[in-house]
Structures are given as structure tokens and as C-alpha cells.
Amino acid sequence: MRRLPIGLITLAVVALGICPTYGQELVIAEGGRSPYYIVIPEKASEPVRHAADELAKFIREMTGANLSIRTDTFQPAADHEILLGNTRRLQELGIQIDWQKLGKEGYTIKTVGQRLIIAGGEPRGTLYGVYGLLEDHWGCRWFTPDCSRIPHHDRLTIGPLDETIVPKLEYREPFTYDCFDGDWCARNRVNSSSGRLGPQHGGKIRFGNGFFVHTFNRLVPPEKYFDEHPEYFALVKGKRLKERTQLCCTNEDVIRIVTEEILKAMERDPEAFVFSVSQNDWYNYCECEKCQALARAEGSQIAPVLQMVNRVAEAVEKRFPDKAIETLAYQWTRKPPKTMRPRPNVIIRLCSIECCFAHPLATCDLPANKAFVEDLRGWAKICNRLWVWDYVTDFRHYLLPFPNQRVRNDNIKLFVENNVKGIFEQDTYNTPNSELAALGGYMTAKFLWNPDYDENLAMNEFLEGYYGAAAPFIRQYIDALHDRVEKENIHCSIWIPPTHPHLTDELLVEANQLWQKAEEAVHDDPTLLKRVKIGRLSVDYAILERARLAPQKEPLASLAKQRFRPFVELIPVAGITRLNEWNPLNLEDYRTKLADALGLESR
């Protein structure tokens, strides 16, 4: 994609978004005053009441005007009203809304005379409609929980409008520590299961408590059953396993126990929507004759698992028709079966863990990517409810520069084109401020809501809003990192080390210079300077870790000595508690060992 200069694309699109179309326009506020009232149903749901509060709040921030909130029982009706939700005014005006089409999250925004109508499905549609108006038409953006762009408008207008938007994805989760704030999630229209979304936000896609993923051991605990019933567990190389085991999914008692446990879990947790019946996070699938006969017939090891899952789902459907059972198509279960089909209330969550993420999944020439795309297309043909578990960080080195910002939109588009209804983007979830985490989370949220959202717009508007005058230098750094893997066709898994060829000493020297210029550009703004310094930790980490392995090799040897102290001193300021997925960071130990390797004093 051709990269537009930072600033140009943002200004162009925002200007387009707030410019009224030809015809009569509604003047919502002018000169700090507004003739409009916000009208909600007398018995409005909590999300609709919150939508009214949010709309009034941001109109006030944009214009200085205070809009009162009324219920639809207030008489007489005013000439200038913003109607939220399913108000009586809609019937009075003869306005028909296709509520079924809107589902739980879709919305209609339209103008009728001097009235502005935002009507959405329950529970989140009207709230999302308010954010759609604020973002798509008035230029608001919420980059992080503590950084937004709320434009000032002396004259706030909306032209003739009649739009209906229904999200393409039912489940949208940027699984990123920096993106769990409930208001941020709602304003960016993600219904993240991990987001701190409350009743005022219309809730979220909820997994049953303890039934998010890898649930075989929870459902049939080996410590409870193995000694008396080893036949419940995986037969591997002629031996039933108690440790690191899977279930024997064709065993009737196992199917019965799993079904009973899922039904009990649903009774305990009636608000949850989806419950996972899925393999443990290792191999060791059952090699008993019954399981393997089914796997051979279907050409996939998922066959025994899916047979059990379908049986459980059939029982669930009778008692809890509004709930779903999820299972993984992951590693040894990824390949779709030949003839078996998931029941309508079964969600298949396909996982891309083996792939390269430096290039789009669909066009990368790595065999692992080609195989994944083949499996994706196979599942798309047979699955009514296909979700994807995708990966967007380096799990061994959370801070390492990872060139995947340009592929996020391409991959989400690929998923949507192949019948995917939900996407879980696993990023750095257990510590803040990993490598460009806030940027990645924002871009991912934009694409999950609207897969056609412009990649350059998403990146540039975030960089401008979050880093201010430092943005052009950071964009140059991001482009240099991505240009290298594209030009050299360098593949990057989610486990790459600092010595991986996507980085070179020369690239890191250039990156260091660009981040130094970024710091200098905002040296007089403490807030922006802190953000830039935290962003720079990623390049510092790569320099230090490469120099650790070759402490005499220039130019990184000298550069590492310069960057050691700023790096280790900023780690606690940034709140970073892990450098990889598995181990909490012992900063004193890390500092001492790194200093010893570099020939420096640790203090």
C-alpha cells in the first residue's frame, strides 16, 4: 500500500466526516448553545441511558453546549430532538425500524425533519450508534483510555442522513492489557470478553466462568478420575496418561460427565453465552482404536473431539437454546473433517499459531501460512459459526520490535471473507506497555468493527493523537521495520529472538536515531515525552539483548552502554511486569545480569 504523509490522510478524512452533505442540515449546536433535547424511552435500558449521557458529554466537550435529557413521556414534543432507542416518538412519526435486522449491536442513524434519530438493537446498538455518530460524522477518536481526540466545533451540524450499520463480526476482542478499560472498549465498539464492560455498556461476549479455553482437565479432572478410570484419558504409545493428558473423547462415560459439567456450569452462570469444551494446551491426543478409527475416517484428529462436542451441544440446545459450545481447531485438531459438521450451536475457534505474521496470511509463501489458509477455507464451507484465535505479539520477547502492524487489516479481511463471525486477537495481555501495544490495540479495534477501515488512517491518526510532534519520526521507524521484512521476505513467527534477521545492527542504529529525534520533538511536553520514552523501550530492548550476546561488537556495544540506564530506569515507570508470557520480571536480577554481560555497573 502506498503510504501517505502523516497528517495529510487524517485531516482529509476527518474533514470529509464532519462536512454536511447537500440538502438541509441540522445545526445541533452553535456558539456554545443548542436548541436540541436528547430523548430516551421512559423505561430506557441502562445502555440507552448511558448513550444519552455520553452523547451529552461529548457534545458539551465539542461545542460547550449543554443538552438536556428527557424521556419520551415529556409533552409536548419539541421541534429539535435527538431520539435515542425505541422511543414513542418513532411511532408518532411513523418511522419504521427493522429491529430484527439490527440484532444486538446494529443501529440506524437518520434525520427526519429537524430530528436526529439513533435507534439500535438491544443491548448495545443504540450506544454504538451514538459512538458511530461521534466518530464517523464528528471526528471523535478514543486512542487509549487516557488519550482521545474530541474536536472543537463552533458550529456542529449533521447533513441529511439515513444509514444502517450492522457489524460483520459478532465477537471482537483485542486481547491487550492496554485495551481492557470498559469505556475504551465501548467507545471503540469492541465487545471483548476480557474488557471491563459493565451493564451501562450493554455487557459483552461472556464465556462461562472458568470455561474460556483448554477445559478438558477442568471438565474431567485426572486427579479425581484417573486412578479408578484411566480409560477416560488419552492412550498414548500404549499407555493411559495422567499427566499432560487429553480426554478419550469416544468414551461414553466421558461424554456423559462433560455434558453434566457443562449443564451445571450454565445453571451457575446464566449470564454467560459461550462455554468451551476444548483440548488441553499440548499434544498427546488419544490413540485408542475407537478414537483413531474416527480420525482416519474423517482425515483429522478433530473428529473424536467434534463428535463429543456435538453430543454436548445437542443436550445444551434442549435446555439452554441461547447458549453456545466452543471448541478449538488448534494444532492437532486444526484440519477440518471430511463429512462431520458442527451443530448450529457449536463455535469452532480456528487458531493460527504456526504462521508467519510479518506478511499477510493469504499471500505469504511460508508453507505454514498456506496450510492455515487452506484449513480456514475448509472450515468456512462447513461451519455456521466460525471464530478465529489470531496472534499479534512475540510471546518470548514482549518488547522486541515485531513487524505486524501492516498485516492486521489484511488478516481480519481474510477472516471475514471466509465466514468468520468472531475474532480474538491475542496480544500482550498480562503486562502494560509492550511493543507499541496501544497502537496495535487501537488499529485492531478499528478493523474488528470495520474491516474496511483504512490502514494508514488508523496508524497515522493514532500516532498524531498519542505522540504529537514526534509522530513523523515514529512512523518512519515503523515503516523501516516493515519495509525490511517485506523487501527481504523475512518470516516472523510469534517466538522470534532478538537475533532474528528481521533486525540488523544498522536498522537498530537508525531506529535509535529516529526515537531520539522523536524525544527531541516533544521535549517540552512531559506527557508526550513520557509516551515517546516508553515507546522507545522496544528499540532499547533489542539493542541491549543483541549486545548482551556480543558485548564487544560495534556499533551496538557502545550504544547499549548509553541506553542501559534509561531502559532499566523506565521499566517500572512503564509498569512493565513481564518481558515474556510466562515469567514475572525480577527487575533487580535482570538489571544485574544485563549489566554484567555488558561490562557495566548495575547501579
Side-chain angles (χ1 to χ4, degrees), residues 366-558:
L366 192 72
N369 286 43
K370 293 181 178 180
F372 172 80
V373 173
E374 181 181 354
D375 288 346
L376 168 67
R377 290 172 176 157
W379 280 110
K381 294 174 182 177
I382 67 172
C383 190
N384 292 322
R385 219 163 193 171
L386 179 59
W387 289 4
V388 163
W389 184 311
D390 196 31
Y391 303 81
V392 284
T393 191
D394 182 341
F395 291 90
R396 284 184 178 158
H397 298 275
Y398 277 161
L399 281 175
L400 196 69
F402 194 61
N404 71 337
Q405 302 294 349
R406 289 183 189 168
V407 306
R408 292 172 189 252
N409 201 17
D410 296 296
N411 291 344
I412 289 172
K413 283 182 178 180
L414 171 71
F415 300 149
V416 171
E417 289 166 359
N418 283 277
N419 199 35
V420 170
K421 304 300 183 186
I423 299 177
F424 173 86
E425 294 283 4
Q426 186 178 4
D427 208 321
T428 305
Y429 60 91
N430 49 8
T431 183
N433 289 315
S434 63
E435 188 255 355
L436 295 178
L439 168 64
Y442 177 78
M443 292 179 66
T444 296
K446 286 280 140 306
F447 304 148
L448 290 175
W449 176 257
N450 175 13
D452 294 320
Y453 201 87
D454 185 87
E455 174 187 289
N456 272 303
L457 172 60
M459 186 179 295
N460 285 350
E461 67 188 0
F462 179 91
L463 296 178
E464 289 175 333
Y466 195 68
Y467 293 114
F473 304 108
I474 298 173
R475 179 64 198 251
Q476 287 180 54
Y477 157 72
I478 293 171
D479 287 341
L481 182 66
H482 288 71
D483 287 348
R484 173 168 171 75
V485 295
E486 291 175 10
K487 181 180 178 181
E488 304 294 333
N489 195 33
I490 299 169
H491 299 301
C492 297
S493 74
I494 56 174
W495 321 107
I496 54 175
T499 53
H500 192 72
H502 78 296
L503 297 175
T504 66
D505 291 358
E506 293 74 21
L507 177 62
L508 289 172
V509 168
E510 178 188 358
N512 181 69
Q513 293 169 348
L514 288 169
W515 281 97
Q516 182 62 37
K517 290 178 181 178
E519 283 195 23
E520 293 166 357
V522 295
H523 72 277
D524 57 350
D525 187 318
T527 298
L528 295 180
L529 181 59
K530 181 180 178 182
R531 291 175 186 165
V532 171
K533 286 184 174 182
I534 289 174
R536 189 176 182 174
L537 287 172
S538 177
V539 170
D540 285 347
Y541 179 79
I543 291 169
L544 290 162
E545 288 297 323
R546 286 170 71 93
R548 178 207 290 264
L549 300 174
Q552 305 304 318
K553 184 182 177 184
E554 296 293 352
L556 292 195
S558 299

Side-chain angles (χ1 to χ4, degrees), residues 556-571:
L556 292 195
S558 299
L559 194 54
K561 290 179 172 60
Q562 297 172 24
R563 298 307 304 165
F564 170 78
R565 194 165 302 282
F567 176 77
V568 295
E569 289 178 353
L570 199 60
I571 288 288

Side-chain angles (χ1 to χ4, degrees), residues 17 124 134 137 152 167 205 213 229 250 281 293 300 323 336 377 387 410 427 474 537 560 583 589 599 602:
R124 293 179 285 275
L134 292 167
H137 299 281
H152 176 73
I205 297 295
V213 73
H229 295 284
T250 56
D281 196 8
S300 173
K323 300 190 186 301
R377 290 172 176 157
W387 289 4
D410 296 296
D427 208 321
I474 298 173
L537 287 172
N583 304 309
D589 183 64
S602 63

Side-chain angles (χ1 to χ4, degrees), residues 62-228:
M62 288 188 288
T63 69
N66 289 296
L67 275 66
S68 297
I69 300 171
R70 297 175 171 179
T71 68
D72 56 6
T73 57
F74 189 89
Q75 297 293 335
D79 292 332
H80 297 81
E81 294 180 329
I82 302 176
L83 308 180
L84 299 187
N86 191 6
T87 69
R88 295 181 184 180
R89 297 280 200 274
L90 299 182
Q91 290 78 40
E92 294 167 3
L93 294 169
I95 296 170
Q96 300 296 318
I97 302 292
D98 189 343
W99 301 103
Q100 184 174 359
K101 177 182 178 181
L102 297 181
K104 296 180 178 181
E105 298 183 326
Y107 59 82
T108 292
I109 306 177
K110 64 191 305 178
T111 54
V112 178
Q114 287 296 310
R115 289 184 173 88
L116 174 61
I117 296 164
I118 307 173
E122 292 286 353
R124 293 179 285 275
T126 298
L127 181 61
Y128 285 175
V130 164
Y131 295 135
L133 174 70
L134 292 167
E135 178 179 343
D136 301 337
H137 299 281
W138 289 337
C140 295
R141 297 290 187 274
W142 297 276
F143 302 120
T144 69
D146 62 355
C147 178
S148 59
R149 184 186 72 202
I150 311 300
H152 176 73
H153 297 285
D154 292 322
R155 187 171 189 266
L156 184 66
T157 66
I158 192 75
L161 187 62
D162 187 357
E163 70 177 21
T164 295
I165 295 178
V166 179
K168 294 180 179 180
L169 294 166
E170 65 176 341
Y171 169 50
R172 305 172 300 278
E173 177 143 22
F175 191 53
T176 308
Y177 187 99
D178 306 71
C179 300
F180 291 156
D181 178 80
D183 286 337
W184 183 91
C185 287
R187 290 165 183 168
N188 284 286
R189 291 172 281 182
V190 294
N191 52 19
S192 168
S193 66
S194 301
R196 294 186 287 272
L197 288 157
Q200 76 274 23
H201 303 118
K204 57 186 177 180
I205 297 295
R206 265 205 56 206
F207 283 77
N209 186 28
F211 289 91
F212 175 67
V213 73
H214 303 313
T215 59
F216 274 9
N217 276 9
R218 178 183 177 90
L219 290 162
V220 188
E223 61 273 16
K224 178 178 179 180
Y225 289 104
F226 185 86
D227 290 347
E228 291 188 17

